[in-house]
């Protein structure tokens, strides 16, 4: 039995009359091939990437595992349609907090139609894509006090400026009620476990950055980074350094309908945006470290 | 006595009736303040940068030394005008080969007028700015066979695609006659001395890259990297590894009329383009190394 994914935070949402991704109970994610060339483009990318020996093993793990395409009853009731079959990246989590961040200072690329160019650059200028080199596309946080998920409103997310994006990245790793964060500043209680640590988000982003500095295989236009973690397990086990694994923080790249051949040139658009995003994450970790120092050394407050 | 700089390869050229930079005999470069806000903007940048203690010393050396502004007889005959007074970065060279590379995948930035945006993005798409994250703006090479300078034609330079830019970067460090390079591939005879080595261009670019990964002080919109070296001294002293210094290869950043405050965000536009440019330089060094291996180990040719 296929159903609408519970943890999707951006992109087309499946429903009666609307085409969108579906999941099964066995951890598979079914993404309908978009009708124009984009669907085929994305499946071609997965075919190429999956079998590409030039991509190192430690990089493959940042991409959803691909199981080919399959005819599946579409969510919009239009009958059987071809779908990409992927591992559902959140299937192993109880209550995953998820954020989708579109990377790059532009979502268009050389040789697109004028119409597509104009549509993209308008949105790129209206959002933080141009100014920050990335934009938050959506996120949800498991609110343990309410025992339910809190979702950021799409309209607000698309209206973020630099401060809004920074606040969202802080809120994403905070334990105080996300709905109240206009009144209460996010406490970043999970920052060191989720963003920091030897298996945290930052380490994973830096590993990707290393690859992007030299890889000229693909240009990842309009791709997103998904950040996923489990906050309940951090709370249950306490916040010691040994519990880095508890958060099971992971980074996945998704959405490859606009990937192009690199033709010997690095993906400077993705790399620049990724470096900017990394700086935001580092700054949050630094602010948490400083606070921690202050808390544990009250005598040094005056320095 | 002020005169028209001999080694300028891009930007406005001074002449009777045309405003442009001038130099004196004591190694000073006089750049007229552009009439609109750009001139003031550039002098403001130099004032800020020169006194900015947050900029490390090893980074200051990549910028021309600034000596304030001065009223100077303008090149267009319009009388005395304010000029930036800078060290002339090529004054210590006999016959400098010079290349100007504008860094970034866009030359516009948030909050510019629609007119300026449209003018910039048109040129960015027509050149390699969008595709490569940089564009060659001009270059000249000292041709030791002809004992004269060879200049790339501006029209050809602005029409480069990725292959054209790659060829120009190879030609810039070659000793075979630059005018013939459509027939004879550039030999990259100076590549290892100019781009490589412990004081070469690549090492300098990597030092800049390190800084750009974290600096949030300035956004260097529409800035150029100048590469300067002396090829005669390499030829006179031979091509041994000890002679790295002979080329006196150096990188300088120039043109700061569009620099903005970083406001806590890294300059992802410059950084992405810089990383792409670095990859081009690395690829040339790699191709030269491979050729060298082949030449010195003929028995291993079959491997």
């Amino acid at each position: 039995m296929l159903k609408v994914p519970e943890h999707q935070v951006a992109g087309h949402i499946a429903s009666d009359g609307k085409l969108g991704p579906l999941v099964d109970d066995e951890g598979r994610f079914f993404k309908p091939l978009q009708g124009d060339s984009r669907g085929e483009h994305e499946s071609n990318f997965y075919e190429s990437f999956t079998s590409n020996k030039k991509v190192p093993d430690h990089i493959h793990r940042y991409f959803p595992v691909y199981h080919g395409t399959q005819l599946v009853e579409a969510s919009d009731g239009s009958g059987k349609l071809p779908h990409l079959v992927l591992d559902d990246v959140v299937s192993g989590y109880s209550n995953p907090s998820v954020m989708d961040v579109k990377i790059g200072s532009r979502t268009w690329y050389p040789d697109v139609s004028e119409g597509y160019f104009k549509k993209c650059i308008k949105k790129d200028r209206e959002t933080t894509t141009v100014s920050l080199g990335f934009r938050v596309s959506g996120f949800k946080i498991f609110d343990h006090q309410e025992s339910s998920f809190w979702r950021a409103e799409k309209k607000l997310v698309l209206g973020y400026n630099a401060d809004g994006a920074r606040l969202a990245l802080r809120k994403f790793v905070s334990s105080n009620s996300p709905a109240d964060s206009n009144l209460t500043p996010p406490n970043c209680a999970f920052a060191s476990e989720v963003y920091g640590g030897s298996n945290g988000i930052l380490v994973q982003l830096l590993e990707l950055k290393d690859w992007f500095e030299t890889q000229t295989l693909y240009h990842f236009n309009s791709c997103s980074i998904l950040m996923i973690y489990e906050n309940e397990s951090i709370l249950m086990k306490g916040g010691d350094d040994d519990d880095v694994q508890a958060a099971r923080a992971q980074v996945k790249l998704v959405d490859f309908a606009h990937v192009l051949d690199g033709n010997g040139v690095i993906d400077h658009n993705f790399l620049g945006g990724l470096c900017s995003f990394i700086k935001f994450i580092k700054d949050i970790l630094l602010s948490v470290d400083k606070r921690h120092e202050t808390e544990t050394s009250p005598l040094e407050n005056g320095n």
Side-chain angles (χ1 to χ4, degrees), chain A:
Chain A
M1 272 300 294
L2 298 183
K3 58 189 180 185
V4 175
E6 195 187 347
H7 305 299
Q8 198 182 332
V9 295
H12 304 284
I13 308 288
S15 68
D16 253 3
K18 280 196 177 172
L19 193 60
L22 298 166
V23 290
D24 67 11
D25 288 334
E26 287 154 33
R28 300 275 164 114
F29 186 88
F30 298 84
K31 184 175 179 179
L33 292 188
Q34 284 160 300
D36 50 23
S37 60
R38 286 182 289 171
E40 198 187 350
H41 207 103
E42 186 159 22
S43 61
N44 285 346
F45 166 75
Y46 272 112
E47 293 285 347
S48 157
F49 184 82
T50 302
S51 60
N52 196 330
K53 300 277 183 255
K54 291 180 184 164
V55 178
D57 286 345
H58 71 277
I59 293 301
H60 272 287
R61 78 178 178 101
Y62 294 113
F63 292 75
V65 176
Y66 173 67
H67 304 283
T69 59
Q70 194 178 313
L71 279 175
V72 159
E73 203 70 40
S75 64
D76 62 353
S78 64
K80 290 210 168 187
L81 285 180
H83 286 61
L84 295 169
V85 187
L86 304 165
D87 272 1
D88 182 4
V89 294
V90 297
S91 70
Y93 294 79
S94 309
N95 293 303
S97 295
V98 181
M99 183 182 272
D100 181 306
V101 183
K102 200 181 274 281
I103 304 291
S105 65
R106 54 172 165 77
T107 54
W108 56 280
Y109 40 97
D111 304 326
V112 292
S113 72
E114 273 308 290
Y116 187 76
F117 164 71
K118 282 183 178 159
K119 193 183 106 179
C120 288
I121 199 156
K122 183 169 184 289
K123 198 165 178 186
D124 292 350
R125 297 178 78 186
E126 285 168 356
T127 62
T128 61
T129 290
V130 167
S131 57
L132 305 186
F134 66 86
R135 69 176 178 243
V136 178
S137 294
F139 65 108
K140 63 195 280 274
I141 308 168
F142 186 66
D143 183 341
H144 60 97
Q145 283 159 352
E146 302 284 336
S147 267
S148 65
F149 284 101
W150 177 89
R151 274 176 183 273
E153 267 181 68
K154 192 172 178 179
K155 267 193 184 171
L156 290 181
V157 168
L158 289 177
Y160 284 160
N161 57 10
D163 288 339
R166 195 174 283 117
L167 192 66
L169 289 169
R170 296 180 71 89
K171 195 189 274 197
F172 183 60
V173 291
S174 291
S175 68
N176 44 354
S177 186
D180 291 342
S181 74
N182 291 332
L183 307 168
T184 323
N187 61 13
C188 294
F190 309 132
S192 51
E193 285 84 357
V194 175
Y195 292 154
S198 58
N199 294 300
I201 298 288
L202 179 60
V203 167
Q204 297 178 49
L205 294 174
L206 290 172
E207 197 164 47
L208 275 173
K209 170 177 169 272
D210 273 352
W211 184 59
F212 271 93
E213 284 184 357
T214 55
Q215 78 88 10
T216 61
L217 302 168
Y218 305 106
H219 284 192
F220 291 89
N221 302 298
S222 215
C223 283
S224 284
I225 277 180
L226 279 189
M227 299 192 291
I228 309 157
Y229 79 95
E230 188 95 71
N231 60 25
E232 267 199 310
S233 38
I234 308 175
L235 288 166
M236 285 167 63
K237 298 185 183 177
D240 298 346
D241 282 351
D242 292 347
D243 289 324
V244 169
Q245 298 279 9
R248 289 193 293 144
Q250 65 170 324
V251 165
K252 292 281 183 194
L253 264 69
V254 294
D255 297 340
F256 307 111
H258 299 282
V259 173
L260 292 182
D261 199 311
N263 281 322
V265 178
I266 67 163
D267 188 354
H268 52 89
N269 176 56
F270 191 98
L271 176 60
L274 179 61
C275 289
S276 174
F277 185 62
I278 285 171
K279 184 63 165 62
F280 272 70
I281 300 294
K282 276 186 176 171
D283 283 350
I284 293 173
L285 283 169
L286 208 62
S287 74
V288 171
D289 284 354
K290 274 186 187 157
R291 195 180 55 192
H292 196 67
E293 278 167 27
T294 311
E295 280 167 2
T296 54
S297 317
L299 293 175
E300 294 175 307
N301 265 353
N303 293 340

